């Protein structure tokens, strides 16, 4: 009900790994880092600020796309639900981790280029009938939509 949504721009810093949750569901996890850069106007130089580290988790259909597309070092934009996880290490140290349960993950096109691998779109053929003027108009608009779809595929 009170989920916190956010978008983080950064870099993948670990290899994405498939894991299983406590209920047996599979998910993909990787760590990312986002470093603030600020320009020092007195010197004109860019300086790195603090770095935000977080764990990104991807589930279901998003998981399969991310595992095939991302690797360590890739620039990414991730959006989803932010939450903290509190846990104790094997050494007995209490820790808190920031997790971003992703709803969308994509490349940061300001820092890389991408070639999309798309499934071919299929368009059903439209049969024209001349029974009434309204059906004729809808048939013409369907033909226009089909031509536009064929242009997109080509």
């Amino acid at each position: 009900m009170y989920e916190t949504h956010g978008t983080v721009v950064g870099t993948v810093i670990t290899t994405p790994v498939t894991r299983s949750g406590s209920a047996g569901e599979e998910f993909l996890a990787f760590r990312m880092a986002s470093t603030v850069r600020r320009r020092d106007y007195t010197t004109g130089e860019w300086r790195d600020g603090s770095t935000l580290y977080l764990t990104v988790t991807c589930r279901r259909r998003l998981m399969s796309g991310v595992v095939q597309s991302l690797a360590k070092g890739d620039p990414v934009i991730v959006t989803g639900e932010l939450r903290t996880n509190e846990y104790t290490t094997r050494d007995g140290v209490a820790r808190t981790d920031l997790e971003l349960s992703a709803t969308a993950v994509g490349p940061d096109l300001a820092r890389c280029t991408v070639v999309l691998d798309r499934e071919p779109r299929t368009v059903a053929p439209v049969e024209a009938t001349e029974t009434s003027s309204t059906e004729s108009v809808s048939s013409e608009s369907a033909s226009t939509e089909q031509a536009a779809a064929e242009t997109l595929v080509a």
Side-chain angles (χ1 to χ4, degrees), residues 95-118:
R95 296 247 172 123
T96 302
D97 182 35
L98 184 60
E99 178 186 336
L100 182 57
S101 181
T103 54
V105 177
D108 180 359
L109 296 179
R111 298 186 292 150
C112 70
T113 59
V114 175
V115 177
L116 293 176
D117 183 19
R118 295 186 180 157

Side-chain angles (χ1 to χ4, degrees), residues 45-104:
E45 295 178 5
W46 286 94
R47 301 200 185 270
D48 287 341
S50 60
T51 301
L52 171 70
Y53 295 97
L54 58 133
T55 300
V56 178
T57 57
C58 306
R59 290 174 166 68
R60 295 179 281 288
R61 196 168 71 172
L62 180 60
M63 182 175 99
S64 64
V66 170
V67 77
Q68 294 177 34
S69 304
L70 292 184
K72 182 178 177 180
D74 288 345
V76 292
I77 301 173
V78 182
T79 189
E81 288 182 26
L82 283 165
R83 63 178 67 114
T84 56
N85 288 328
E86 296 176 3
Y87 63 96
T88 305
T89 65
R90 294 180 188 144
D91 301 332
V93 178
R95 296 247 172 123
T96 302
D97 182 35
L98 184 60
E99 178 186 336
L100 182 57
S101 181
T103 54

Side-chain angles (χ1 to χ4, degrees), residues 127-151:
E127 295 181 25
T129 59
E130 296 186 29
T131 57
S132 73
S133 62
T134 56
E135 287 182 13
S136 174
V137 169
S138 66
S139 175
E140 289 174 12
S141 64
S143 296
T144 305
E145 290 173 5
Q146 182 179 2
E150 289 172 352
T151 304

